[in-house]
Amino acid sequence: MHAAFIQSLAAAHRQAAAPLPGPAFCLLADQLLQVLFPERIARPLGSTDAIEAVLYHWQTELAELLRSVLDAKAADQIAATCIEGLPPLRELLLRDAAAIVAADPAAQGSAEVISTYPGFYAIALHRFAHALYQLQVPRVPRLLSEYAHTSTGIDIHPGARIGPSFCIDHGTGIVIGETAVIGAHVKIFQGVTLGALSVAKHLANIKRHPTIEDYAVIYAGATILGGSTVVGSHSIIGGNVWLTESVPSHSRVYHRAQIHVTRSEDPTADITFSI
């Protein structure tokens, strides 16, 4: 094999960033959800001492893992900040669970949503990843978002800003970009894309993804693109809509498809559909 090629590979390996302990970070995120929500743990913790001990261990483990991307002082500070942020994080996630229960007739209660719904799980991991993103932790937030993506089929960039009482119904195929802003009490169905119009690489720091205001509903398969695109509050975006311009509050936006149904006079013939 060519010696120059071997040398180039050796140089690349020497310059590579240290590998992330990815499985350990993902396991830690799952452990956090189990502490915050006993619905997700096999054996609920029975005492305040047990909970305090588990949270202390979690903070210590998080700080240790963060040392793979940060210096020791910064890792300790961020782990402590995460622990301090757990009460509002749990409250925010409880509001998300309640929103899903209220919006989904099939949901039997918050316990079912918290323990089994992929939409809730994706939101929960996003809110933790977003907290780390805001603290400017490198690489780890994206690792957690991709873990949620692999587990649920829901792809939310950790930079996306999502308000309280967020409801994802079904969820498979949802894509929410880095600079998307979502208000309170928003409901999104499967296959929705909140994406960017094509921009040059040097414009990466501008707002590229849409804003969805409070109480909007976006139905399956809708695609909404562009950093200046705003879906006004209380609007409904119908299934399969392609939207690249803003709509005011209380709008109804839908894709009109004409469907014709014909049937042969022969009662044994198949029904045919055309769109």
Side-chain angles (χ1 to χ4, degrees):
M1 192 171 292
H2 200 284
F5 174 66
I6 300 298
Q7 291 174 355
S8 68
L9 285 180
H13 279 257
R14 288 192 297 270
Q15 296 167 8
L20 282 175
F25 271 115
C26 297
L27 178 61
L28 203 64
D30 281 332
Q31 289 173 345
L32 174 63
L33 293 182
Q34 289 172 358
V35 177
L36 294 181
F37 301 104
E39 298 89 344
R40 298 189 63 88
I41 194 170
R43 296 178 62 184
L45 303 171
S47 70
T48 56
D49 288 343
I51 293 172
E52 187 174 6
V54 169
L55 288 176
Y56 176 80
H57 173 77
W58 185 87
Q59 179 181 348
T60 303
E61 184 69 16
L62 177 61
E64 183 64 31
L65 291 175
L66 287 173
R67 288 186 176 93
S68 63
V69 292
L70 299 167
D71 63 64
K73 182 179 179 181
D76 290 344
Q77 289 176 338
I78 287 174
T81 299
C82 287
I83 283 289
E84 292 298 318
L86 292 185
L89 174 63
R90 184 173 190 272
E91 180 61 30
L92 194 56
L93 289 172
L94 286 172
R95 293 179 66 180
D96 295 328
I100 294 172
V101 172
D104 183 1
Q108 298 298 307
S110 291
E112 181 186 38
V113 167
I114 290 168
S115 60
T116 67
Y117 273 44
F120 176 81
Y121 184 63
I123 295 167
L125 286 182
H126 168 74
R127 294 206 186 279
F128 180 43
H130 182 67
L132 295 176
Y133 179 92
Q134 288 183 306
L135 292 168
Q136 300 183 334
V137 176
R139 299 167 62 195
V140 177
R142 192 59 185 265
L143 182 149
L144 293 175
S145 70
E146 289 306 317
Y147 176 56
H149 184 195
T150 301
S151 301
T152 66
I154 298 167
D155 184 1
I156 309 177
H157 192 284
R161 292 160 47 197
I162 299 177
S165 300
F166 183 45
C167 174
I168 289 178
D169 199 333
H170 298 293
T172 303
I174 283 176
V175 177
I176 300 175
E178 179 183 18
T179 62
V181 177
I182 298 174
H185 300 278
V186 170
K187 182 178 181 180
I188 295 181
F189 286 80
Q190 69 272 17
V192 166
T193 296
L194 304 182
L197 293 167
S198 179
V199 297
K201 182 66 176 180
H202 71 275
L203 298 176
N205 291 327
I206 69 168
K207 188 176 186 305
R208 310 183 308 281
H209 304 88
T211 295
I212 312 299
E213 294 185 345
D214 299 349
Y215 293 95
V217 178
I218 307 174
Y219 281 100
T223 298
I224 304 173
L225 305 178
S228 62
T229 303
V230 178
V231 173
S233 64
H234 299 85
S235 291
I236 296 176
I237 308 300
N240 299 318
V241 163
W242 177 277
L243 190 63
T244 59
E245 58 186 51
S246 297
V247 297
S249 297
H250 299 275
S251 295
R252 302 293 182 268
V253 183
Y254 58 91
H255 172 75
R256 176 175 291 173
Q258 294 185 348
I259 301 175
H260 304 280
V261 180
T262 63
R263 182 167 185 163
S264 168
E265 293 182 1
D266 180 356
T268 64
D270 292 334
I271 298 176
T272 61
F273 299 86
S274 64
I275 299 177

